[in-house]
Amino acid sequence: MTTNSRTENDPARRGRLSGAAPLPLEPDRNCPLCPRLAEFRQQARAREPGWFNSPVTSFGDPAARLLIVGLAPGLQGANRTGRPFTGDYAGDLLYATLLEYGFAEGVYQARPDDGLRLVDCRISNAVRCVPPQNKPLPVEINTCRQFLSATIATMPKVRAIVALGRIAHESTLKALGLRNSAAPFGHGAIHPAGTIKLYDSYHCSRYNTNTRVLTPDMFRSVFAKVRADLS
């Protein structure tokens, strides 16, 4: 697929080039676009008023060459702390891997003020609000894709996107203007999208690692390939 065809199928990039008003990069703190998620957010605020309990914004430098796309904030992870993959098991594995391959520096301490810094890397989610049972509905994924598209559109140097799980993979494909049939999900698969390569990985959730669907070595192998390609 050429860069031009990718632009034609990407509303965020198309709007930027045509002079149209750009899509908002992140949802408002009280985003009403998904009523079920807004109601769940209000319930969480009443139950845990000290938690972040808002749409979780992207973390990292827009000038980065690597973007990581997860599913959605975890209830006791990013929804609590306000930083993607921070405060739950998925973050333990993700940030340890990013530190190992030079995509982060500092010490990960599972809190947003730990001083950890991403290097040539940015982290976002397909859905910005925590969903009940960690399962967003298709309409919610589709509604929130505008923010993923806008995130990609504001990364002029992005060359690699790692999709963590099938939902992140499929939403990223749509944001890039690709069909699911042209790039089926599979752990370790790599799909070209113009100047970008999309790398697939099983999600680094506790369930996947406990059941050995994903091992730390399998996860590291994805980022080893990204590092080699970017280098």
Side-chain angles (χ1 to χ4, degrees):
M1 170 174 250
T2 66
T3 302
N4 287 340
S5 62
R6 175 173 169 255
T7 299
E8 290 169 359
N9 288 287
D10 186 335
R13 290 178 180 267
R14 187 173 64 244
R16 184 180 63 185
L17 293 176
S18 67
L23 294 173
L25 182 58
E26 301 289 354
D28 180 80
R29 181 177 185 273
N30 297 306
C31 180
L33 295 178
C34 300
R36 187 182 75 117
L37 301 189
E39 180 181 0
F40 190 64
R41 183 174 64 227
Q42 286 302 113
Q43 294 171 357
R45 287 177 179 176
R47 186 174 60 251
E48 297 288 352
W51 288 10
F52 183 73
N53 291 321
S54 298
V56 176
T57 60
S58 303
F59 173 43
D61 186 357
R65 293 181 297 163
L66 169 62
L67 173 65
I68 299 167
V69 180
L71 170 58
L75 178 62
Q76 297 187 44
N79 179 68
R80 175 174 60 85
T81 64
R83 191 176 74 182
F85 288 91
T86 299
D88 55 18
Y89 177 81
D92 293 345
L93 179 55
L94 175 61
Y95 285 114
T97 304
L98 295 181
L99 286 163
E100 179 177 353
Y101 288 97
F103 291 114
E105 61 182 22
V107 178
Y108 173 68
Q109 297 179 334
R111 62 176 197 271
D113 62 349
D114 56 15
L116 183 84
R117 188 177 76 87
L118 297 182
V119 179
D120 202 19
C121 177
R122 197 180 195 191
I123 303 175
S124 194
N125 277 308
V127 176
R128 303 300 167 95
C129 291
V130 59
Q133 288 82 50
N134 201 37
K135 295 180 180 179
L137 300 176
V139 66
E140 294 162 350
I141 299 167
N142 292 338
T143 298
C144 210
R145 188 173 303 114
Q146 62 181 297
F147 303 111
L148 177 59
S149 294
T151 296
I152 296 171
T154 59
M155 298 183 67
K157 298 180 181 179
V158 66
R159 294 295 178 267
I161 299 179
V162 174
L164 301 179
R166 184 180 299 276
I167 290 176
H169 165 87
E170 293 181 351
S171 195
T172 300
L173 282 182
K174 290 182 174 67
L176 294 173
L178 297 174
R179 297 180 180 274
N180 291 345
S181 59
F185 175 80
H187 181 82
I190 303 173
H191 310 282
T195 59
I196 295 173
K197 287 183 178 179
L198 175 62
Y199 300 76
D200 288 342
S201 174
Y202 293 132
H203 195 283
C204 49
S205 65
R206 183 184 293 274
Y207 176 82
N208 280 349
T209 55
N210 282 350
T211 58
R212 306 292 288 178
V213 168
L214 177 70
T215 66
D217 282 345
M218 289 170 62
F219 195 60
R220 285 195 293 267
S221 70
V222 173
F223 287 90
K225 181 60 176 175
V226 174
R227 170 51 72 198
D229 288 348
L230 290 180
S231 297

